Amino acid sequence: MEWEVIYYSERIKREVFDLPTGVLAAYRRLVALMQQYGADLRMPHSRAMGDGLFELRPRGREGIGRVFYCTLVGRRIVVLHSFVKKTQETPDDEMRIARKRMKEVRGYG
């Protein structure tokens, strides 16, 4: 049984699919792996950010993307937020957005 990938909102889905071409291609490959094997791909493809939040780490010629996600009961992966990295560290504001949305979809936010 495959995992289902869903999006926090239609806007988030559009933002993810508007990532630069190379980053989007890497994202699609990683999502295909998650659909088949589950959400925990491990480094260098994915990293646990704590409390059930994960970041997918697609990279392309145009740069490095980050796509935050969490899991829900029933083999569902929820894509919460995405951005293209401009610095070495993940900005706190990006993490805050993802954590807030995770709490909402899990029903405790």
Side-chain angles (χ1 to χ4, degrees):
M1 180 177 172
E2 286 200 349
W3 286 70
E4 178 185 13
V5 176
I6 58 178
Y7 293 83
Y8 175 78
S9 68
E10 280 300 314
R11 192 189 89 199
I12 298 306
K13 186 175 184 177
R14 282 192 306 275
E15 288 175 6
V16 169
F17 285 90
D18 282 343
L19 288 169
T21 306
V23 176
L24 179 59
Y27 167 77
R28 288 177 182 252
R29 282 191 302 276
L30 294 173
V31 164
L33 288 172
M34 287 197 310
Q35 286 173 316
Q36 189 172 1
Y37 299 109
D40 191 11
L41 295 181
R42 313 263 171 140
M43 290 291 282
H45 309 298
S46 176
R47 181 171 74 155
M49 304 301 286
D51 299 324
L53 182 68
F54 297 87
E55 71 173 2
L56 207 53
R57 305 162 60 87
R59 58 177 44 232
R61 247 192 307 240
E62 310 88 346
I64 299 169
R66 289 294 183 262
V67 179
F68 291 105
Y69 64 95
C70 66
T71 60
L72 297 178
V73 173
R75 299 171 75 100
R76 291 181 294 161
I77 297 165
V78 182
V79 175
L80 302 165
H81 183 57
S82 68
F83 69 100
V84 175
K85 278 188 77 160
K86 308 258 191 268
T87 63
Q88 193 73 13
E89 293 289 316
T90 299
D92 289 338
D93 288 346
E94 306 291 353
M95 291 283 293
R96 256 192 299 282
I97 291 167
R99 287 192 187 286
K100 179 178 181 276
R101 290 177 180 167
M102 180 178 69
K103 286 178 182 175
E104 287 176 29
V105 299
R106 289 189 165 172
Y108 54 82

